[in-house]
Amino acid sequence: MVLSRTSQYAVQALIYIATQPAGEPVLNRDIAERLNVPAAYLAKILQSLCKQGLLDSFRGRLGGFCLRDGMQKTSLMQVLLLTEGPDFTKSCILGLKECSDHSACPMHFKWVPVKKKIIAMLQEMNLEELAKAVRTGKYRLADLPAAALPA
Amino acid sequence: MVLSRTSQYAVQALIYIATQPAGEPVLNRDIAERLNVPAAYLAKILQSLCKQGLLDSFRGRLGGFCLRDGMQKTSLMQVLLLTEGPDFTKSCILGLKECSDHSACPMHFKWVPVKKKIIAMLQEMNLEELAKAVRTGKYRLADLPAAALPA
DNA sequence: TATAATTCGGACAAAAAACTCTTTAGGAGT
DNA sequence: ACTCCTAAAGAGTTTTTTGTCCGAATTATA
């Protein structure tokens, strides 16, 4: 019931970045502090998301990470396809290499409709919306009291 | 989308054991061959399931593993609670230690109903039923052609 | 131009998960 | 009693995931 830690950090960080004023780069260090996750590891994850086109990065003073233009509405599904790999939704729950309607594992026909629900849920949540809900104070992004929010 | 390999092996093995005549111990070696899974590793998993009360084991000639009496109807939920641990269903999808209706992560209220579907699915599937469906040839347990079945 | 602040890249380390090997112990058949 | 077949147990190995460290490249500003 479970995403890899890498995916969890990625989603948390992306939502956090989306809560911040667009165009102003956010420091890796600040994200890491705010989310209470290892900074050096988070940096790797963010760098990878840059290469994959979700984020822009800027070096030097006033540097940091921003959502790339037009990526505000990226769905969690798209994010997880990047962090978990393109087979994220494709694999058999019991690990069979071949498992389809035609030749199925014993869980297949119960699992497929549930998996569809999961996919639908992930597709209907996007960074902008989630960030908005976090900004209103409705939700917590980390195991810490909601941080003071920018005016 | 996603069980640990350990859980996958456990479920596959338990269903396989349930397909075999009750009371006749099944050899670890045979299960491993049938499922195409590392035998020594599978043995550890089965030993653990013994300690946890799901299986009985017998040493020496005519030894092997059987479902413990009365465990035929064990649900996949019960199995996964053993293999994935008791927090299997309890943890936050974003990894927050505290995440509840009262103080939620941004995915919480979308995730909870989906999680309920998953849990319901896992609770309504039990070893006996699954084994029966496999015995009829309806489903495959491994990436191999369905094995010849005992008369 | 110098400096401080940042990301980038690669190597490294630690921890967890997956898997193996070897030895011991127990039970069945002869 | 002896032998063979099995699981049990524990240590060890390999692979993957998670996490650290450090030096180099880049940029704003004084």
Side-chain angles (χ1 to χ4, degrees):
Chain A
M1 294 288 201
V2 146
L3 302 173
S4 68
R5 223 167 258 207
T6 297
S7 290
Q8 294 176 340
Y9 292 167
V11 170
Q12 290 179 23
L14 288 168
I15 296 176
Y16 178 69
I17 292 171
T19 64
Q20 299 306 110
E24 289 181 22
V26 187
L27 292 193
N28 177 68
R29 176 174 14 99
D30 290 347
I31 305 170
E33 263 175 34
R34 175 68 182 74
L35 303 178
N36 196 28
V37 309
Y41 190 49
L42 180 63
K44 298 290 185 195
I45 297 170
L46 297 181
Q47 281 161 30
S48 158
L49 293 174
C50 282
K51 284 195 192 146
Q52 301 186 269
L54 244 193
L55 292 176
D56 282 319
S57 65
F58 304 94
R59 302 220 254 198
R61 280 215 173 174
L62 308 189
F65 295 90
C66 320
L67 279 177
R68 178 164 298 180
D69 231 44
M71 295 294 145
Q72 261 73 7
K73 296 225 159 71
T74 304
S75 71
L76 291 194
M77 190 69 231
Q78 293 173 274
V79 174
L80 295 179
L81 284 172
L82 298 182
T83 55
E84 300 275 326
D87 294 347
F88 179 47
T89 64
K90 301 214 170 78
S91 51
C92 166
I93 191 171
L94 281 186
L96 303 197
K97 291 185 186 52
E98 297 300 325
C99 180
S100 63
D101 289 2
H102 178 63
S103 177
C105 83
M107 297 185 68
H108 183 78
F109 291 103
K110 298 269 189 183
W111 172 236
V112 165
V114 173
K115 180 156 78 172
K116 280 190 182 150
K117 294 267 184 204
I118 299 176
I119 293 172
M121 170 198 72
L122 292 173
Q123 281 174 338
E124 78 188 13
M125 298 208 272
N126 70 69
L127 299 177
E128 189 178 56
E129 254 183 44
L130 291 166
K132 195 175 296 178
V134 168
R135 263 193 267 109
T136 68
K138 207 164 168 180
Y139 300 118
R140 247 179 337 114
L141 256 184
D143 280 313
L144 304 166
L149 298 166
Chain B
M1 294 285 204
V2 142
L3 298 174
S4 68
R5 221 166 263 201
T6 297
S7 291
Q8 294 175 340
Y9 293 166
V11 170
Q12 291 178 25
L14 288 169
I15 296 176
Y16 178 68
I17 293 171
T19 65
Q20 300 305 111
E24 291 181 21
V26 187
L27 293 192
N28 177 68
R29 177 176 8 103
D30 290 345
I31 305 170
E33 263 176 36
R34 175 68 182 75
L35 303 178
N36 195 30
V37 138
Y41 190 49
L42 180 63
K44 299 292 183 192
I45 296 170
L46 297 182
Q47 282 161 28
S48 159
L49 292 174
C50 282
K51 283 194 193 148
Q52 302 187 269
L54 245 192
L55 293 175
D56 280 320
S57 66
F58 304 93
R59 303 218 257 200
R61 279 209 176 177
L62 309 189
F65 296 90
C66 314
L67 278 177
R68 178 164 301 181
D69 232 43
M71 295 296 148
Q72 261 73 8
K73 295 224 157 73
T74 303
S75 71
L76 292 194
M77 189 69 230
Q78 292 173 276
V79 174
L80 295 179
L81 284 171
L82 298 182
T83 55
E84 300 276 326
D87 294 346
F88 179 47
T89 63
K90 299 212 172 79
S91 53
C92 165
I93 191 171
L94 282 186
L96 303 196
K97 293 186 184 50
E98 297 298 326
C99 180
S100 63
D101 289 2
H102 178 62
S103 176
C105 83
M107 297 185 68
H108 183 78
F109 291 103
K110 299 271 190 180
W111 173 235
V112 165
V114 173
K115 182 156 76 173
K116 279 190 183 150
K117 295 267 184 201
I118 300 176
I119 293 172
M121 171 197 73
L122 293 172
Q123 281 174 338
E124 78 188 14
M125 300 209 271
N126 69 68
L127 298 176
E128 189 177 56
E129 254 184 43
L130 291 166
K132 194 175 298 178
V134 168
R135 263 193 268 109
T136 67
K138 208 166 167 180
Y139 300 118
R140 249 181 333 116
L141 256 185
D143 280 314
L144 304 167
L149 298 167

